[in-house]
Amino acid sequence: MARLRTLIFHPALATYRIDLFNALNRELDLKVWFLNRHVHYHKDLNQDRLRAALECDHDFISTGFSLMQRDFRTGMGRIIREHRPDVVVTHEFSYLTLYILACKKLFSRGDCGLTLWTAENPKLLRDRGGIRRRLRLFCGGAADSMIVY
């Protein structure tokens, strides 16, 4: 059976993600794209050592801009077109997820599924208010699946 071509867009590589990405790599045709070269709250992590332990194909997105001390990456539409994945996985209910949804719509990549993964448990998701709640409702409804870990 053919393995699912899967793209994961993830904020940054942290120690506790290596086992997960390696396990997914054994099951999927996996490529991980990191938005940042360092975890903003763990700049002391040795990224060279972490990347050496990572068994999956991975790279960093370097295009984008900064606004109000936040980095916004671009180029995911091109990456999706080039890799032609079966599934795209994004992290949380973020601008990245909105960007990927727009790319799918604009570039007719409706044939690839979108999976959101989040650490927010169902109670937190339900109790959120304001803009976070609207983002959750919109992104959650537009995605094909969601993984809560």
Side-chain angles (χ1 to χ4, degrees):
M1 181 196 308
R3 296 178 344 151
L4 284 176
R5 290 178 53 81
T6 305
L7 284 179
I8 295 178
F9 292 101
H10 197 71
L13 179 57
T15 309
Y16 53 86
R17 291 281 181 250
I18 290 180
D19 288 341
L20 173 64
F21 290 140
N22 288 344
L24 289 172
N25 188 58
R26 289 189 286 278
E27 302 298 323
L28 306 166
D29 179 2
L30 181 65
K31 170 82 180 213
V32 179
W33 285 89
F34 295 107
L35 305 180
N36 300 292
R37 291 195 176 272
H38 299 282
V39 178
H40 72 277
Y41 52 88
H42 279 303
K43 292 193 188 285
D44 58 330
L45 292 177
N46 183 331
Q47 287 294 312
D48 291 333
R49 195 181 89 239
L50 294 178
R51 287 179 53 211
L54 204 55
E55 298 167 1
C56 64
D57 190 11
H58 62 281
D59 209 340
F60 296 92
I61 298 174
S62 58
T63 57
F65 60 94
S66 293
L67 180 66
M68 296 172 42
Q69 299 180 357
R70 293 197 69 171
D71 291 330
F72 292 88
R73 297 292 179 229
T74 59
M76 282 74 80
R78 177 189 50 80
I79 291 168
I80 292 170
R81 279 193 318 273
E82 288 174 2
H83 289 282
R84 302 194 55 78
D86 299 309
V87 178
V88 175
V89 179
T90 63
H91 187 261
E92 301 286 343
F93 309 96
S94 62
Y95 90 91
L96 172 64
T97 300
L98 294 172
Y99 186 100
I100 299 296
L101 285 168
C103 288
K104 280 184 59 169
K105 198 69 138 167
L106 292 171
F107 301 117
S108 300
R109 285 294 298 157
D111 57 334
C112 72
L114 175 65
T115 297
L116 303 177
W117 67 10
T118 179
E120 294 186 4
N121 67 49
K123 181 179 178 355
L124 281 174
L125 291 171
R126 188 178 51 249
D127 293 347
R128 286 277 186 205
I131 212 137
R132 188 75 174 165
R133 179 177 181 78
R134 287 194 267 306
L135 271 174
R136 180 196 60 83
L137 291 172
F138 176 77
C139 293
D144 298 297
S145 60
M146 186 183 310
I147 298 171
V148 179
Y149 60 91

